[in-house]
Amino acid sequence: MEGWNLQTFMRLFILGLMILIPSHAIAGELPAPVTDADYRSITKAEAELGQLLFYDPILSGNKEVACATCHHPRLGTSDGLSLGIGDGGIGLGPDRVINPDNLPEQRIPRNAPALFNLGAHEFTVLFHDGRIALDPLRPSGLRTPLDDDMVTGFASLLSAQTMFPVLSADEMAGHYSENDVAKAVRQGLLTGQGGAWDIIARRVAALPDYVERFTTLYPHISSADQIGFTDISNAIATFMEFEWRSDTSPFDAFLRDQQELSELASEGMALFYGDAGCSTCHSGAFQTDHKFHAMAAPQVGPGKAARFESHAKDEGRFRVTGDPSDLYKFRTPSLRNVAITSPYGHAGSHASLSAFIKDHLDPVAALKRYDPTQMILPQMQVDDLRALENSAEMSAIVSTVEQPSVHLSDAEIAALTAFLNSLTDPKAMIGRLGVPDTVPSGLKVPN
């Protein structure tokens, strides 16, 4: 045993015990420890510029909503709501209320996803339905809903992702007659001079502090008129990559032979990678296979529909591919910091992690008994339960589930929950740069 330390020996001993216990046998391999090579290289100066832009409402149509409004570190880089309120809301997280002077048309249709580790190379598709993805065959290197209209200049897929919330009426743009950005979106003017992205870029370029930072940081920018929205999105993406890289959780320390997990978390890990079957989909370094699965998560809220459609269903991946086999499939989320990113599900159907785990293990039965009162929703005069009350829609959702149900005792669910808590990274929760006190626009920082 020369060259072994006590922690290494104990780790191997515990893993050996797990293998000897049939109900806790690890069927899948544990992931390798995360390293710097798993991430894109970035510069801190660019992250510092992106930090200001991320928290600055100047990017929204009515100058009231920042990226941080729906992705705040205090709320696990999400918003603490089942379905959020972007434009037309006041306050932050569960305290957010409807602005009576700017009534939103509807809730944001899907739960705001967390932002941890999105700079890792393995994240090649984003959004719940994967509607943007790396695609080397496209001129932009990306596949997005804009197809060939997608401009070039993005440094990463994450950078391209930031381009879309600013175009959404419910999220950041505001509604059609309210401001210049919203009007451009209404007219279909997104790219090019006078388009929505250009309007936002010109707002940023009118602020001397931003101009100085952009011209200092980027060699291709020497004057304000050369600042494009791709430059803005590149900086924001770099900030997110730097701020919320998450690989220093207790589980990471365990994988690096630096510490052991608690007895309960160890039992949960054995279940996760063994009999519970969680790692079938939640695989790899960040507990996701990046694929799409139909798991009958309850559909609540307005759903995803075109302007001319009146239904409240969300057909998930199908709306991207048009393939009937993709109906009601949603992307497997990473589970890093999952304990602090409630509510859960594509529509935020569950406020409790243990309740979601229990229902996720037997989704068909769970959908039939689902209690919508567990959702966290700002009061709004809308019908959030239309899809749940539509028996045909419920049957359609149930019919797509392929995963067999798994029965676990309450004690085993508690162990799984303890393991998922071991994925919480204190450093990522705090962030590296934090929330700025002010931003160059002088607008109110979400806090």
Side-chain angles (χ1 to χ4, degrees):
M1 297 177 66
E2 183 178 353
W4 286 26
N5 58 35
L6 180 60
Q7 289 179 330
T8 299
F9 175 77
M10 289 300 297
R11 178 172 182 259
L12 293 174
F13 178 73
I14 290 173
L15 290 177
L17 285 179
M18 291 174 180
I19 294 172
L20 292 174
I21 302 173
S23 64
H24 285 172
I26 293 185
E29 291 186 6
L30 294 175
V34 178
T35 70
D36 290 347
D38 292 311
Y39 297 93
R40 192 172 70 97
S41 179
I42 62 170
T43 63
K44 186 177 179 181
E46 189 174 18
E48 290 170 340
L49 170 58
Q51 175 206 26
L52 297 175
L53 292 162
F54 186 88
Y55 287 95
D56 199 333
I58 194 72
L59 303 186
S60 64
N62 290 321
K63 303 180 182 179
E64 296 176 347
V65 179
C67 303
T69 303
C70 293
H71 298 282
H72 201 280
R74 180 154 59 85
L75 299 161
T77 71
S78 183
D79 62 0
L81 296 170
S82 297
L83 300 172
I85 298 294
D87 182 77
I90 301 172
L92 194 65
D95 296 326
R96 194 162 177 79
V97 297
I98 302 303
N99 182 353
D101 297 323
N102 179 27
L103 295 175
E105 291 185 1
Q106 64 179 22
R107 304 187 195 280
I108 296 173
R110 290 175 179 159
N111 180 256
L115 304 181
F116 300 107
N117 290 317
L118 297 185
H121 297 305
E122 70 174 65
F123 285 83
T124 60
V125 293
L126 293 175
F127 289 121
H128 287 289
D129 55 14
R131 63 185 180 274
I132 70 168
L134 293 179
D135 187 345
L137 300 180
R138 303 291 176 104
S140 65
L142 304 163
R143 176 181 49 75
T144 80
L146 294 181
D147 292 325
D148 293 337
D149 290 331
M150 194 67 182
V151 297
T152 59
F154 300 104
S156 65
L157 177 66
L158 183 56
S159 174
Q161 182 273 330
T162 68
M163 303 285 279
F164 290 93
V166 299
L167 303 178
S168 168
D170 299 311
E171 294 180 56
M172 295 181 72
H175 292 91
Y176 295 137
S177 63
E178 294 179 347
N179 59 72
D180 51 354
V181 174
K183 289 176 182 177
V185 172
R186 173 65 169 177
Q187 295 168 17
L189 301 174
L190 308 180
T191 63
Q193 186 174 2
W197 289 331
D198 182 56
I199 292 170
I200 296 170
R202 302 285 62 79
R203 290 182 182 179
V204 171
L207 299 171
D209 190 354
Y210 278 133
V211 174
E212 181 180 357
R213 292 172 183 269
F214 273 101
T215 54
T216 300
L217 184 61
Y218 296 115
H220 66 279
I221 299 176
S222 58
S223 60
D225 62 297
Q226 294 176 320
I227 299 174
F229 197 87
T230 51
D231 302 306
I232 294 170
S233 63
N234 286 341
I236 293 173
T238 299
F239 164 67
M240 288 191 283
E241 293 175 52
F242 178 77
E243 187 77 348
W244 293 303
R245 170 173 166 168
S246 181
D247 61 348
T248 54
S249 69
F251 181 62
D252 290 297
F254 169 78
L255 293 177
R256 295 179 181 128
D257 296 325
Q258 295 170 338
Q259 72 176 59
E260 296 303 329
L261 299 179
S262 70
E263 181 179 355
L264 189 61
S266 294
E267 292 174 6
M269 180 176 66
L271 286 164
F272 187 94
Y273 289 100
D275 287 352
C278 306
S279 63
T280 302
C281 300
H282 293 285
S283 57
F286 304 115
Q287 290 73 47
T288 173
D289 61 4
H290 302 285
K291 295 179 181 179
F292 302 86
H293 303 279
M295 295 299 295
Q299 171 53 32
V300 289
K304 292 290 283 188
R307 298 294 300 183
F308 60 86
E309 295 176 309
S310 59
H311 63 74
K313 59 187 177 182
D314 190 335
E315 296 168 319
R317 182 67 172 163
F318 171 77
R319 292 190 71 87
V320 176
T321 67
D323 184 344
S325 68
D326 285 332
L327 277 166
Y328 307 106
K329 289 184 176 180
F330 295 89
R331 183 173 171 273
T332 305
S334 168
L335 298 183
R336 291 309 186 107
N337 300 293
V338 66
I340 63 168
T341 60
S342 67
Y344 306 101
H346 73 272
S349 54
H350 291 70
S352 162
L353 180 57
S354 59
F356 184 78
I357 293 171
K358 183 176 181 179
D359 284 1
H360 199 58
L361 292 170
D362 190 2
V364 172
L367 185 60
K368 295 175 181 178
R369 65 170 185 264
Y370 175 67
D371 177 9
T373 62
Q374 63 189 298
M375 299 182 70
I376 302 175
L377 293 168
Q379 187 174 0
M380 189 174 179
Q381 295 300 310
V382 292
D383 184 359
D384 292 311
L385 306 182
R386 281 199 296 151
L388 283 177
E389 294 168 349
N390 184 322
S391 59
E393 178 67 7
M394 292 278 283
S395 296
I397 293 173
V398 165
S399 70
T400 63
V401 177
E402 299 175 351
Q403 192 79 9
S405 61
V406 177
H407 176 73
L408 295 181
S409 67
D410 289 344
E412 288 171 320
I413 290 175
L416 264 182
T417 304
F419 170 65
L420 294 178
N421 271 282
S422 79
L423 300 175
T424 302
D425 182 348
K427 183 182 293 186
M429 289 173 62
I430 298 171
R432 291 164 175 81
L433 296 177
V435 181
D437 294 327
T438 61
V439 289
S441 69
L443 296 169
K444 179 177 174 56
V445 174
N447 209 344

